[in-house]
Each structure stands twice: as C-alpha cells, then as structure tokens.
C-alpha cells in the first residue's frame, strides 16, 4: 500500500496491515459488526464510520463520523406499494440470521398468526419466502441457503407493503444495527412498523405514526391492528 493512501476497511480490519502501514490513513466502517462483537474489540484506526450518534459517543473517538445506511442500489426506482387496497405485512432481510440474532423479535409467533399472512423477502437469495418455509428456516429445519448471495435486481415483486422490524431494547441489534430496514422500505414506497433504535430515530421523524413504544408482543399486535 503506497504511503499516504486512505485505506477504508469495511466490517473487518487486518490489524497487522494497519501496524505495517503507519503512514496511511486507516478508516474503519463498522457497518453492523458491533452487533456481534464487544466494543472493546474494535480495532485501532485513524477514523471510524458508525451508524448512529450513540455509537460515536460510546467509541469515544474524536474522529467518528455518522453515515446513515442506504438502500441497495438495485432497488432504486422500484416503487411497489402493493397490494394497494389493504395493509399486508412482511419481513425483508436474512431469515437465516434469525437463528442466531434477535433481528426480528417474535418472528416465529408472527409467522404462526394465520390472520396476518406473513411472508418474507430473503435478501441473501433475493427471493420471496412464504410462511411455512419461513418457519422452517427460522427453526433450522430448512437447512442452509440454497444458493450463493444473489443481486437484488433478481428479486421478484415484493408481495407486502408494510415491513416489520422489531428489536429488543438494550440488545446489540437494537443499539448498533444500521437504518437499512427503514431506508429499504422507503425506497420501495412502503411503510414500516419499527422499534425505536438509535439509527432509526435519527432518520425517521418523531411523529412517524408506526413507531412502537416498546418491543413487547402486545404492543406489536396492537400496532398491527392500528395499521390495518
């Protein structure tokens, strides 16, 4: 790496390379890695890109910059507010990650609600997943992803218009995850029911009508009824 280069690390940092190139400027974009590591594990760099102001405060570094997450460029221009005559609910993200993260609290209970008709977009595979398969993936009985990561431009029409994002207060997912769920819903012209994570509250107005007061099951069910 030439002296004076700006090296941007995304999600992971090779600390050995950082030590060997002290004349370079090393910038670490943590993305969502703080949701699964201790903050004490964050490697030493010259500057940091973080997801919200709380992360910047906790990091305690002068050179921390908040950059809100963006939607996948493949979704740009895809306004899909359908079905247009009623609210329909779904989850957009990695279903496989729900086996080991609380990225959608109450996911299994939601999927079992017959009247809700929940489905999902599995973003690892860029495909729509119906309820029975969704339950199988969450429970681990459906095995591993069938294909390698697919571009979102291969995604068929999204069959819901209200996204669900529920994370338990105080958990790493709540504190450190990005605003990707919110901005993805916005890119598609959809609404979202979401808990009040720091990254969410920095991009949504305080009077957004579908912010959950907390992550409890009863609160979520009541909000779904209100949206309907």
């Amino acid at each position: 790496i030439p002296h004076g280069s700006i090296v941007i690390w995304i999600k992971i940092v090779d600390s050995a390379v950082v030590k060997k190139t002290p004349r370079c400027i090393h910038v670490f974009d943590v993305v969502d890695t703080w949701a699964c590591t201790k903050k004490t594990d964050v490697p030493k760099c010259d500057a940091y890109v973080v997801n919200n102001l709380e992360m910047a405060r906790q990091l305690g570094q002068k050179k921390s910059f908040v950059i809100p997450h963006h939607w996948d460029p493949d979704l740009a221009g895809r306004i899909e507010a359908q079905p247009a005559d009623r609210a329909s609910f779904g989850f957009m993200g990695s279903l496989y990650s729900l086996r080991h993260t609380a990225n959608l609290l109450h996911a299994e209970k939601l999927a079992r609600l017959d009247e809700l008709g929940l489905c999902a977009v599995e973003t690892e595979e860029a495909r729509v997943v119906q309820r029975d398969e969704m339950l199988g993936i969450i429970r681990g009985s459906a095995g591993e992803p069938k294909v390698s990561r697919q571009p979102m431009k291969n995604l068929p029409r999204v069959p819901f218009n209200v996204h669900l994002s529920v994370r338990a207060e105080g958990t790493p997912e709540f504190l450190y995850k990005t605003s990707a769920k919110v901005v993805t819903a916005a890119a598609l012209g959809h609404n979202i029911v979401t808990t009040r994570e720091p990254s969410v509250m920095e991009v949504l107005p305080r009077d957004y009508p579908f912010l959950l007061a907390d992550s409890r099951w009863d609160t979520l069910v009541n909000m779904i009824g209100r949206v309907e």
Side-chain angles (χ1 to χ4, degrees), residues 118-138:
L118 189 72
C119 64
V121 167
E122 167 50 57
T123 52
E124 296 291 326
E125 300 172 330
R127 67 185 183 93
V128 174
V129 176
Q130 300 302 327
R131 185 181 69 167
D132 288 347
E133 185 184 2
M134 181 180 177
L135 281 168
I137 292 174
I138 295 170

Side-chain angles (χ1 to χ4, degrees), residues 13 15 28 33-34 36-44 59:
V13 175
S15 296
F28 179 30
T33 50
W34 254 12
C36 53
T37 60
K38 298 177 182 178
K39 77 174 177 179
T40 52
D41 296 333
V42 176
K44 297 293 184 183
L59 190 59

